[in-house]
Amino acid sequence: MLGRTIIAENATLRQLTVLLRAEERQDQLQRRLRLRVGEVTRLAEQRREISPARWAAVGAALGDFHRGSAHVLPRLPVPDDLRAPVAASRAAEARFASVSLDLLHDAHRTPDRIARRMPAFLAALRTLERSRSGLRGALVERVDAGLTRNAHALVSNLHFRLAGAGVVLLMLLGCMAWLRRRVIRPIVAIAERVRQLSGGDETALDVPGAARRDEVGDLARGIAEYRGAVEERRRAERRVEFLAHHDMLTGLPNRLLFEERLAQELLRAPRTGERVAVFAIDLDEFKSINDRFGHAGGDEALRAAAQLLSACVRASDMVARLGGDEFAIVQVSADQPATAEMLVQRILRACEATAGDTVPVQMSIGVALSGVEQAGEELYNLADMAMYRAKAEGRHTARFFDDQFKEEVRLRWRLSRDLEGAAERGELYLAFQPIADADTLEVIGQEALLRWAHPELGDIRPDRFIPLAEASGRIDSIGLWMADQALAAASRWPDHMTLALNLSAIQFRQPTLAHELLALARRHRVAPTRLEFEVTESATLLDKRRQPVLTVLRTLQHHGAAIVMDDFGTGYSSLGNLREFRFDKLKVDRSFVATMLDHAPSGSIVRSIAALGASLGIPIVAEGVEEVAQLARLREWDIPQVQGFLIGRPSREAIHCADPAATLSARPVAPQWVARS
């Protein structure tokens, strides 16, 4: 009777062992699927190309996981009392497979939706882990109950046999000793080990009796396999937790962990009297590193930057990678800003030490210190603005968001706000600067320049308010208003006089711009052949949206308008752009004209541009002509057109004629011109 009971229980335990093995295999398939999905979605979010082999691998992982859940596990015998947790685990597997399929579909079709799908994916993963944890708990309880029944059966049989005669008693005592040594002790030890594993005791590494070749050995081996499955699951949970809060490339905390830490420190700092410093850090020339060394070189540069920053900070500071080449540091100290300044110096010195490396690490750093009741996002944005100031001032430097910077930002916000409706209020106006024939000094055209007369702050420089208009999205309406006003003025000029419009680079990226400008010209009865549109090659033809810009320019050119490359020679690909697009005119940047008499390289550049224009049959305009000697030198080099204070200053009324003799006798001051009434 005793043997049959144990055998029956062991048979049940074998079933449970098989179920545990199946669960372990399904765990492995789930981990492989999760890693494949994470790899594909990360590449898709970075807009990197995903090879067919990667898609095939993630499809195979999804198929294996689905087949394991749908075909293998349902054929396993399951005790009645375990059907509910098994069913819950299967349902969670089905949900996880479905969510994974949706996430893969978005990664393949619409990567922008990956971020919205990711919370559902993680929720399905946690649900699956909880259901599996519940199933394993039920299995442990079932094993424990079986072991307890075996022990009770053994004890009852032993008590029954003690009532016999002396020989029987001796036999029973011998049997008891044998059973105690061979069965009870191993089973009790196994049960104790199961309880330890259920309680999360990871020190319970070995399972006694696993080497035996009987039912107790089968039980011990089943428990050992279960222990391995539990340890693997815990390792997977720790890995998932790490990946959810850390960057895979550098191992640094990611944006999520950075924001959590920053929020905690901002809550704690007021109680301790400390201040929080946030560093916004960006690698300089990272795009050129990728272009020169490929993505592998870019990844190596990011890892080197992560190691450099980690070596410079204190143990209590946090270094995080927020994405791309953006890093951030959270530093808490009672001695701010001195502590932050020392860290900045350590980082810059460490960067200088890499100057001899194949890929030197150079950084621009912005620092902001916390104020009263300041939110983490606001503090980081201030540090980010300081970082962009550092980039604008030469890169590989650091800037603090101080009171002066704060005042500048406040002024920028005010100007951005006041710019709305400035044209309607009559604050915006146009000034016209003449363009003349270099030999006769006859005015042959006017360049329209946008000006802003602020009612309280006075004249605002264009290089100050134009970027604000571009950033706020108002540049389109302002640019068309400017074109409308300039065309209205040009309609009253002589037919031979041209109008030059220098519109924003952002406007040229709008596909409808050409048709809108041509419609305005028709409305004001200004022939397109009188129009010149100036573009800055470094701002419009070198980015990823090159083709839409070229389409707009070619449309204008097709209808007779001239396309002029402004600030020629200051960009990185001037000659390359001449090869790709046929410009009608080139304007030599004023910086070369201003120094060409005293600086030999500048003079050589101007003379080379003149020769280039002559060989290509493209007219050249020299900007910034302020001295008679400059005009004379430009005439020697056969530059046909000039513009500058020597010819005429910008004014609201267009200048239509001039006195050449007065110009030639003038000093470096704009001459008196006769304006058309």
Side-chain angles (χ1 to χ4, degrees):
M1 185 67 179
L2 175 62
R4 287 196 297 271
T5 302
I6 293 176
I7 291 171
E9 284 295 335
N10 283 340
T12 301
L13 291 173
R14 287 193 194 95
Q15 294 178 2
L16 299 178
T17 300
V18 173
L19 185 59
L20 282 170
R21 289 174 179 168
E23 284 289 322
E24 179 184 6
R25 181 178 181 277
Q26 197 64 8
D27 258 352
Q28 294 173 354
L29 295 176
Q30 170 202 317
R31 286 194 300 275
R32 186 172 69 176
L33 173 59
R34 184 175 66 251
L35 292 175
R36 296 294 187 189
V37 171
E39 181 182 60
V40 169
T41 53
R42 177 178 64 81
L43 292 174
E45 283 184 318
Q46 296 175 356
R47 297 299 193 277
R48 294 170 61 181
E49 182 179 356
I50 302 174
S51 66
R54 290 186 186 273
W55 282 117
V58 73
L62 181 59
D64 291 343
F65 180 78
H66 178 70
R67 284 191 295 273
S69 175
H71 302 293
V72 179
L73 295 176
R75 297 200 299 268
L76 296 176
V78 179
D80 293 338
D81 55 345
L82 295 177
R83 291 187 183 278
V86 168
S89 179
R90 301 301 170 264
E93 288 176 353
R95 172 62 180 164
F96 180 70
S98 174
V99 173
S100 299
L101 182 60
D102 292 341
L103 185 59
L104 287 174
H105 182 271
D106 286 343
H108 187 63
R109 299 294 183 186
T110 53
D112 292 337
R113 298 177 60 184
I114 290 176
R116 295 199 299 270
R117 289 284 189 187
M118 189 57 67
F121 174 79
L122 296 177
L125 177 61
R126 288 193 293 270
T127 301
L128 179 56
E129 293 295 343
R130 284 197 299 271
S131 65
R132 286 230 168 94
S133 178
L135 176 56
R136 292 191 178 94
L139 287 171
V140 170
E141 292 179 0
R142 184 65 178 82
V143 170
D144 186 60
L147 294 175
T148 302
R149 282 194 295 272
N150 275 349
H152 287 166
L154 289 172
V155 172
S156 298
N157 277 278
L158 289 173
H159 288 169
F160 176 78
R161 294 180 182 277
L162 285 174
V167 176
V168 176
L169 179 60
L170 291 175
M171 293 175 62
L172 289 176
L173 289 175
C175 290
M176 183 186 297
W178 181 84
L179 289 172
R180 182 176 180 81
R181 181 172 59 86
R182 297 290 298 173
V183 179
I184 297 176
R185 284 181 178 174
I187 290 177
V188 171
I190 290 171
E192 179 61 26
R193 192 54 45 86
V194 170
R195 293 189 185 95
Q196 292 174 352
L197 291 173
S198 300
D201 185 1
E202 297 185 3
T203 62
L205 299 178
D206 61 323
V207 179
R212 292 173 55 165
R213 297 300 176 187
D214 55 9
E215 290 81 356
V216 175
D218 291 341
L219 175 62
R221 285 188 291 276
I223 298 302
E225 292 174 1
Y226 166 74
R227 174 188 58 78
V230 170
E231 290 178 352
E232 185 63 29
R233 177 179 61 81
R234 288 174 180 165
R235 283 194 294 270
E237 289 174 348
R238 288 193 292 268
R239 180 62 177 169
V240 169
E241 179 69 16
F242 180 84
L243 293 178
H245 293 87
H246 291 79
D247 171 55
M248 292 184 63
L249 178 64
T250 62
L252 293 176
N254 61 12
R255 182 182 293 273
L256 178 62
L257 193 55
F258 166 78
E259 292 175 350
E260 291 177 357
R261 173 69 179 275
L262 179 57
Q264 292 171 0
E265 296 296 354
L266 289 174
L267 287 175
R268 188 180 63 85
R271 298 193 300 269
T272 61
E274 297 174 309
R275 294 184 71 185
V276 180
V278 171
F279 292 64
I281 303 171
D282 203 51
L283 295 188
D284 293 334
E285 305 298 341
F286 183 68
K287 183 179 182 300
S288 65
I289 293 175
N290 274 329
D291 293 341
R292 290 170 56 198
F293 302 100
H295 290 294
D299 290 348
E300 186 60 33
L302 292 172
R303 282 191 287 266
Q307 294 172 1
L308 183 149
L309 293 173
S310 299
C312 292
V313 300
R314 307 171 304 175
S316 59
D317 301 337
M318 170 187 275
V319 182
R321 182 191 174 202
L322 305 186
D325 60 339
E326 300 177 28
F327 295 84
I329 298 176
V330 177
Q331 181 193 69
V332 183
S333 174
D335 187 19
Q336 295 287 22
T339 306
E341 291 172 350
M342 287 189 291
L343 177 56
V344 166
Q345 294 303 317
R346 289 197 299 271
I347 294 174
L348 294 179
R349 284 196 298 269
C351 289
E352 292 171 359
T354 68
D357 296 349
T358 304
V359 183
V361 178
Q362 303 293 317
M363 300 178 178
S364 295
I365 306 171
V367 186
L369 300 176
S370 62
V372 179
E373 296 182 356
Q374 193 162 36
E377 182 179 1
E378 178 188 2
L379 185 60
Y380 176 76
N381 288 339
L382 298 180
D384 196 51
M385 284 190 283
M387 184 269 293
Y388 277 105
R389 170 64 66 86
K391 277 189 175 295
E393 294 181 1
R395 303 174 183 266
H396 186 46
T397 186
R399 290 293 179 267
F400 279 72
F401 190 89
D402 52 18
D403 291 339
Q404 180 181 357
F405 198 169
K406 189 181 302 182
E407 192 61 35
E408 291 180 10
V409 171
R410 198 176 286 121
L411 177 59
R412 200 157 54 240
W413 286 342
R414 179 185 177 183
L415 291 177
S416 180
R417 180 198 63 198
D418 293 348
L419 188 58
E420 183 174 4
E424 291 78 0
R425 295 191 299 270
E427 298 171 12
L428 296 182
Y429 66 93
L430 296 185
F432 297 94
Q433 186 172 25
I435 302 172
D437 181 276
D439 291 330
T440 65
L441 295 185
E442 177 188 1
V443 176
I444 59 176
Q446 304 281 344
E447 180 180 1
L449 305 171
L450 184 63
R451 297 292 185 260
W452 183 13
H454 193 281
E456 297 178 7
L457 302 177
D459 291 335
I460 308 299
R461 298 193 312 273
D463 61 356
R464 184 128 195 204
F465 71 82
I466 293 297
L468 296 179
E470 293 175 336
S472 64
R474 302 187 185 101
I475 191 63
D476 291 331
S477 60
I478 292 177
L480 289 177
W481 176 89
M482 173 185 175
D484 183 57
Q485 297 293 310
L487 287 166
S491 66
R492 301 187 296 271
W493 301 344
D495 291 340
H496 73 277
M497 189 170 294
T498 61
L499 169 65
L501 286 171
N502 194 341
L503 301 181
S504 166
I506 294 178
Q507 286 185 270
F508 281 104
R509 298 169 187 168
Q510 303 299 324
T512 60
L513 177 66
H515 302 290
E516 292 171 339
L517 292 174
L518 292 170
L520 287 175
R522 286 193 299 270
R523 182 157 65 89
H524 291 289
R525 293 188 173 88
V526 176
T529 54
R530 294 178 56 197
L531 300 180
E532 296 180 353
F533 294 99
E534 300 182 2
V535 294
T536 304
E537 56 95 11
S538 60
T540 60
L541 301 180
L542 296 178
D543 63 4
K544 297 179 181 177
R545 287 176 281 187
R546 172 190 295 251
Q547 195 56 46
V549 174
L550 293 177
T551 300
V552 170
L553 297 181
R554 289 190 177 108
T555 301
L556 292 171
Q557 203 174 47
H558 175 74
H559 286 80
I563 305 301
V564 181
M565 182 186 288
D566 197 10
D567 301 335
F568 183 76
T570 60
Y572 294 101
S573 304
S574 297
L575 296 179
N577 286 320
L578 286 179
R579 178 186 60 198
E580 183 166 344
F581 185 83
R582 173 69 182 183
F583 286 90
D584 300 293
K585 187 183 291 187
L586 303 178
K587 296 190 77 171
V588 182
D589 186 70
R590 66 180 65 251
S591 62
F592 298 125
V593 176
T595 58
M596 68 179 187
L597 298 178
D598 304 319
H599 187 248
S602 295
S604 298
I605 291 173
V606 176
R607 186 167 50 190
S608 299
I609 295 174
L612 176 65
S615 64
L616 295 176
I618 301 176
I620 306 295
V621 182
E623 292 184 300
V625 180
E626 299 183 0
E627 301 177 6
V628 174
Q630 292 172 342
L631 176 62
R633 186 64 54 85
L634 294 171
R635 285 172 168 172
E636 290 178 12
W637 292 337
D638 295 325
I639 288 183
Q641 298 177 17
V642 291
Q643 181 181 14
F645 286 178
L646 184 65
I647 310 303
R649 293 177 178 270
S651 64
R652 295 201 181 200
E653 293 295 331
I655 300 171
H656 294 234
C657 58
D659 181 1
T663 301
L664 293 176
S665 62
R667 307 305 302 168
V669 180
Q672 298 296 320
W673 298 95
V674 180
R676 174 185 169 190
S677 59

